[in-house]
Amino acid sequence: MNKKAVCIISGGMDSALGATIAQNEGYEIIALHFNYGQRTEQKELDSFRKIAKSLEVLESYEIELDFFKQIGASALTDSSLDVPTSGVEEGVPITYVPFRNGIFLSIATAIAEKHGAEALFIGVVEEDSSGYPDCRDSYIRSMEQSINLGTKEETKLSIKMPLVHLKKSEIVAKSIELGVPLKDTWSCYQNEEQACGVCDSCRLRLNGFKLAGEVDPIGYL
């Protein structure tokens, strides 16, 4: 039997590369995407579907998590809060969605148990990210331990985070090397037609392309 991996794919560049790496490591891909009331929900979903199609995944899941919008407390899910556009600053930004990755990994675990998967892939980036606490290597490792304590004895899941210590420029270069369809990825926090170019995520992406000496194939305002 071929080994399987559940890959959390947001529609962004990082998770698209992570899933491509999983495929190159010989895993059959079970693609997983979450609609959680984020501002760019439809665009991210469209990007996810294109990425999943290009990877020829074994199975695809689109999970609705509308409670994130009810909880709020993040500029990504609460329309009363402005997405910051002044540049990446120290500390946890207002775009942090409370415990999002912990919830995502828990649901991914349930799907992995169903399919008998061996691994979960998540495209977290620690060093060149926006300061999200749930993107840290140490946190993901602790989740891996908890997941394996709380699942069936025969379930032995490894959480893979192949990008966690990469810079955004390295992610761009690796994506191009592996043929990731970057034109189909989306990073902007605020817009769905053309990327704003000034939110934290756009700034990190654009700087990554600049330092890699490459041109971003998506459109900006």
Side-chain angles (χ1 to χ4, degrees):
M1 290 179 64
N2 293 331
K3 58 183 183 178
K4 300 173 187 174
V6 175
C7 295
I8 299 172
I9 303 174
S10 67
M13 185 166 61
D14 300 346
S15 60
L17 175 57
T20 301
I21 289 171
Q23 189 174 66
N24 285 355
E25 290 182 2
Y27 289 97
E28 287 189 306
I29 306 302
I30 299 158
L32 173 58
H33 180 77
F34 296 100
N35 298 313
Y36 58 95
Q38 66 271 44
R39 291 171 186 258
T40 56
E41 180 175 284
Q42 194 53 52
K43 183 66 175 181
E44 289 181 31
L45 178 59
D46 179 61
S47 294
F48 163 74
R49 289 172 176 171
K50 288 176 180 176
I51 293 161
K53 184 177 180 181
S54 72
L55 289 168
E56 298 180 339
V57 301
L58 183 67
E59 192 150 351
S60 183
Y61 288 86
E62 298 169 7
I63 305 292
E64 302 291 331
L65 299 177
D66 58 357
F67 62 83
F68 274 114
K69 203 165 182 65
Q70 183 179 356
I71 293 169
S74 168
L76 298 193
T77 57
D78 186 341
S79 59
S80 71
L81 300 174
D82 292 330
V83 172
T85 57
S86 58
V88 181
E89 299 177 353
E90 290 293 320
V92 179
I94 193 66
T95 51
Y96 166 66
V97 180
F99 205 60
R100 180 182 63 181
N101 283 343
I103 293 165
F104 285 3
L105 286 168
S106 297
I107 295 170
T109 297
I111 292 170
E113 277 212 293
K114 171 190 172 182
H115 288 279
E118 299 175 27
L120 304 176
F121 276 75
I122 185 168
V124 293
V125 180
E126 185 176 276
E127 294 180 331
D128 194 17
S129 68
S130 296
Y132 297 150
D134 57 352
C135 288
R136 291 176 294 185
D137 189 323
S138 57
Y139 165 67
I140 302 295
R141 287 280 156 248
S142 71
M143 276 295 289
E144 180 183 75
Q145 183 179 22
S146 295
I147 281 167
N148 283 305
L149 284 170
T151 49
K152 295 181 295 185
E153 189 174 340
E154 60 267 31
T155 300
K156 293 179 173 59
L157 279 170
S158 174
I159 304 182
K160 308 277 191 178
M161 39 183 170
L163 283 60
V164 72
H165 295 304
L166 296 183
K167 297 293 186 185
K168 196 66 81 174
S169 57
E170 295 172 315
I171 291 168
V172 171
K174 190 70 173 176
S175 295
I176 291 170
E177 177 192 336
L178 297 183
V180 176
L182 293 175
K183 64 179 175 54
D184 294 329
T185 64
W186 196 253
S187 303
C188 184
Y189 285 155
Q190 28 184 25
N191 297 336
E192 293 190 300
E193 295 303 320
Q194 283 191 303
C196 72
V198 291
C199 69
D200 289 358
S201 189
C202 279
R203 287 175 185 269
L204 288 167
R205 178 177 174 130
L206 284 168
N207 191 52
F209 273 91
K210 180 182 177 181
L211 293 176
E214 302 289 346
V215 177
D216 192 342
I218 71 167
Y220 288 83
L221 292 173

